[in-house]
Amino acid sequence: VDNTKRERRTTALRRMLSGDRPVLIAGAHDGLSARIVEEAGFDGIWASGFEISAAHGVPDANVLTMTETLETARFINQASTIPVIADCDTGYGNAVNAIRTVRDYEAAGIAAVCIEDNIFPKRCSFYSGVKRELVSADEHAGKIRACKEAQTDPDFVVIARTEALIAGWGMEEALERATAYAEAGADMILIHSKSKTPDEILEFCSRWANRLPLVTVPTTYPMITAKELYDAGSRIVIYANHGLRASIPAMQETLGKIRKAERADAGDAHIVPLTEVYRLVGVPELKAEEAAYLPKGEAPTHAVVLAAGSHPTLGDLVADTPKCLLKIKGRTILDRQIEALSMVGVNDVALVRGYLKNHFPTGAARYVDNDDYAETGELASLYAAREELEGNVLVVYGDIVFDHTCADRILESDRDISLLVDRSFMDEPAGARPLVSAPDLVTFKEAPAAGRRHIPSRAPGTALKIGPDIAREDAHAEYVGMLKLNSAGSEKVRALLDELVAAGWDKPFHGAPSLRKASLVHLLQELIDRGEKIATVETYKGWLEIDSVEDLNLALRVLAP
Ligand code: SPV
Ligand code: MG
């Protein structure tokens, strides 16, 4: 949208007023209700004093200040694109106050103001049993003249409103006042009535004889159509408070039901889904703005920890504790992971749990369940967390302890899919470490230089092969169990998972007897085979995995409390 070419809303209102049908306006009290009015197809919005007061929980009697009402009118204006007519009550005082009111509302982009001849503080036209006084016709005419001279945009509209019929001062008084306000320069006259039938308004209209276009508010005489009012001389018809009044029983009913049932879904039949709220308040636009204007790569990274398995290689140690809740010097593997992640700014952690899932402490992470953990592998756990695969994600095995510098290195990568790999493994003599299962090794596309000294490369390499079946002499590094995806990478992994799952869980997949049993490295190899460039980010030591009692003993030796 080219905002510089958009028609001013004052001009749009003038154009509508010269059309051949009534201009239909509905009341709003905030940005959301303004959106709803516009979407319902109204020509403009009435920033209603009655609605705005009610929405603030106070009576419509100048209890709110001009500042508060203007602030609300601004939200209404900014949430919409159609002209806003602001109900400015008396103009918030005498002519001097009204001048400032006009300047401020015009500057806020409001298309029209309506100023009534009540004395300040006003009382809502419908409240019975309250003191009702009008300022003199002379004083209000002076105020209208002041308003007209204060405006700077020639298309800005000043509506003069008389409460003569409301106050019971009679038809003659109403006509005299309307005449005085017209002579003072008002653009339109709002003639208000609280009669239960349209007769009074129609009589006024007929005696007024189109001397100036009229505005009517058929709240107490709702049976008349806009067309009938238009034919009588009303160019604008305002449905002043119906949106607000519709929302009250909706909230009362829904909240009453939830309170009674003490569960949220008791209200489900009456509410919109959250996504409808997102749409109305412009979340899709927010996302587009983020994509267009925020620096790339600065979106926060969140983590997915895969910790569903039962890990029988640890025997009795894991008989009643999931592995990542094993304590090493007083702190669990998970505590240590969460601390290292938070040191590099990753504070949102989702953990896929399965085995002994109820043992996980509430609030340590957000939990995703893989209840089929006994029959499935890491790929299925990652699939259980598929909703998490959005934006920048770090996927971490639940059984590694790592220094935060490891996470730091991989977070630096801006590639779609990056693996953290360690070349120190290659420096160990074969068989130096007792292993309960073959480590996941990685072969690079281009062999790195070999030798006794080594500085991890800052430029990522590209993975050619990954998995436990790679011969030691063909491998260049060991996979650390940490994978980083950026938004494009997340999307690719999600799409591949969806495609594989759609093809069936039972098909053999790379080294696994079925997709169900597949591990993460099988998924990575599939990506490589499909031509995906997977970056290898190097670290040199700084982490350990806990697979065996020996690993735990090692951890006890090398880890600080
Ligand atoms: C308002 O909506 O605040 C009005 C119209 O002024 S009425 O409530 O009908 O007076
Ligand atoms: Mg009002």
Side-chain angles (χ1 to χ4, degrees):
V1 187
D2 185 351
N3 288 315
T4 59
K5 296 222 176 75
R6 200 184 260 169
E7 183 184 30
R8 279 176 307 165
R9 287 195 236 187
T10 49
T11 313
L13 180 60
R14 293 271 177 184
R15 181 172 45 71
M16 291 173 191
L17 286 170
S18 59
D20 58 3
R21 63 171 186 84
V23 176
L24 301 179
I25 305 285
H29 54 272
D30 57 15
L32 179 65
S33 53
R35 279 261 155 94
I36 294 172
V37 167
E38 178 164 359
E39 280 196 359
F42 284 92
D43 300 308
I45 301 166
W46 173 241
S48 158
F50 180 90
E51 281 205 23
I52 294 170
S53 299
H56 285 78
V58 299
D60 181 14
N62 281 136
V63 174
L64 294 181
T65 63
M66 190 268 262
T67 315
E68 290 166 332
T69 315
L70 172 58
E71 174 83 352
T72 309
R74 251 194 212 108
F75 275 107
I76 290 172
N77 206 51
Q78 282 165 10
S80 62
T81 64
I82 51 181
V84 174
I85 302 177
D87 173 6
C88 289
D89 298 334
T90 65
Y92 301 96
N94 64 20
V96 176
N97 303 93
I99 288 170
R100 176 164 181 246
T101 299
V102 164
R103 286 187 182 144
D104 286 1
Y105 275 74
E106 191 193 324
I110 303 298
V113 290
C114 177
I115 311 270
E116 67 201 31
D117 55 8
N118 275 308
I119 57 160
F120 179 91
K122 63 81 58 72
R123 294 284 174 270
C124 166
S125 310
F126 303 133
Y127 296 165
S128 59
V130 297
K131 208 161 170 273
R132 205 170 285 292
E133 290 283 348
L134 307 187
V135 295
S136 70
D138 211 26
E139 172 167 0
H140 199 62
K143 192 182 279 185
I144 295 300
R145 195 155 46 80
C147 290
K148 283 307 292 176
E149 285 171 15
Q151 77 184 61
T152 57
D153 175 347
D155 286 345
F156 186 79
V157 171
V158 174
I159 302 170
R161 162 169 165 178
T162 181
E163 293 282 285
L165 298 177
I166 298 281
W169 291 14
M171 188 61 66
E172 302 308 323
E173 177 78 19
L175 286 161
E176 268 169 39
R177 283 176 173 257
T179 306
Y181 308 158
E183 282 167 3
D187 296 297
M188 305 182 82
I189 301 292
L190 189 155
I191 177 67
H192 205 14
S193 162
K194 59 182 177 188
S195 170
K196 297 270 185 295
T197 69
D199 301 348
E200 186 177 63
I201 281 291
L202 291 175
E203 184 191 339
F204 181 95
C205 290
S206 106
R207 292 188 57 189
W208 181 250
N210 285 323
R211 275 182 271 163
L212 205 61
L214 296 175
V215 180
T216 52
V217 187
T219 301
T220 58
Y221 51 97
M223 63 294 286
I224 191 165
T225 66
K227 171 80 166 60
E228 287 166 324
L229 285 165
Y230 178 79
D231 289 344
S234 180
R235 288 248 148 205
I236 291 181
V237 178
I238 299 177
Y239 302 97
N241 48 42
H242 298 78
L244 175 92
R245 286 159 68 195
S247 71
I248 291 173
M251 288 192 268
Q252 285 170 331
E253 240 174 80
T254 301
L255 293 172
K257 285 190 169 140
I258 292 173
R259 174 63 187 86
K260 189 151 173 254
E262 297 191 7
R263 51 185 284 172
D265 64 5
D268 276 3
H270 311 280
I271 62 177
V272 294
L274 289 170
T275 48
E276 173 62 356
V277 184
Y278 304 163
R279 186 188 68 78
L280 281 165
V281 304
V283 172
E285 290 81 351
L286 165 97
K287 285 188 179 169
E289 287 164 3
E290 283 193 355
Y293 304 121
L294 296 196
K296 306 273 181 283
E298 270 195 13
T301 301
H302 60 279
V304 174
V305 175
L306 301 177
S310 61
H311 304 283
T313 55
L314 279 161
D316 284 353
L317 284 172
V318 292
D320 53 13
T321 312
K323 183 157 74 169
C324 73
L325 295 185
L326 284 178
K327 281 191 175 162
I328 303 170
K329 291 195 179 154
R331 292 160 65 221
T332 67
I333 296 175
L334 181 61
D335 290 338
R336 289 171 181 274
Q337 287 196 342
I338 286 172
E339 182 192 66
L341 290 171
S342 87
M343 284 171 81
V344 296
V346 178
N347 296 306
D348 179 14
V349 178
L351 182 141
V352 185
R353 59 185 183 178
Y355 177 62
L356 298 178
K357 72 174 180 185
N358 296 325
H359 290 229
F360 284 87
T362 311
R366 287 184 298 111
Y367 295 114
V368 176
D369 293 337
N370 174 9
D371 290 325
D372 274 339
Y373 66 90
E375 308 302 324
T376 61
E378 293 149 4
L379 183 147
S381 283
L382 187 64
Y383 183 71
R386 85 175 281 293
E387 299 295 321
E388 300 287 335
L389 299 178
E390 208 186 314
N392 291 324
V393 194
L394 206 56
V395 180
V396 182
Y397 289 166
D399 59 356
I400 59 170
V401 181
F402 53 89
D403 186 75
H404 73 275
T405 54
C406 290
D408 228 3
R409 286 192 85 86
I410 194 166
L411 286 182
E412 270 179 26
S413 170
D414 59 359
R415 306 297 176 86
D416 291 356
I417 303 175
S418 312
L419 303 177
L420 190 67
V421 301
D422 181 357
R423 294 191 49 212
S424 69
F425 176 79
M426 313 318 296
D427 300 341
E428 285 176 1
R433 251 197 297 174
L435 294 169
V436 292
S437 58
D440 288 322
L441 299 181
V442 182
T443 307
F444 297 177
K445 212 162 168 187
E446 280 172 43
R452 190 168 73 88
R453 302 283 185 215
H454 175 70
I455 292 177
S457 167
R458 296 202 87 79
T462 305
L464 186 66
K465 279 206 172 73
I466 181 165
D469 303 326
I470 298 175
R472 215 184 131 84
E473 52 278 15
D474 295 334
H476 299 122
E478 182 179 8
Y479 176 44
V480 173
M482 199 182 285
L483 169 73
K484 193 213 157 198
L485 309 171
N486 67 11
S487 336
S490 285
E491 214 165 300
K492 286 174 185 170
V493 170
R494 218 170 1 145
L496 177 58
L497 282 170
D498 286 344
E499 181 195 321
L500 294 170
V501 169
W505 282 108
D506 297 317
K507 290 194 183 154
F509 187 66
H510 292 276
S514 65
L515 189 68
R516 195 186 310 285
K517 295 275 191 191
S519 37
L520 199 60
V521 292
H522 297 136
L523 184 74
L524 293 170
Q525 188 63 55
E526 176 70 15
L527 283 159
I528 295 170
D529 293 353
R530 289 176 177 224
E532 189 57 46
K533 269 191 143 181
I534 296 192
T536 53
V537 174
E538 288 185 34
T539 182
Y540 195 84
K541 304 198 177 182
W543 65 285
L544 40 89
E545 78 276 50
I546 308 293
D547 255 348
S548 63
V549 178
E550 287 76 12
D551 289 338
L552 261 179
N553 287 333
L554 172 70
L556 281 168
R557 286 203 306 278
V558 301
L559 287 179

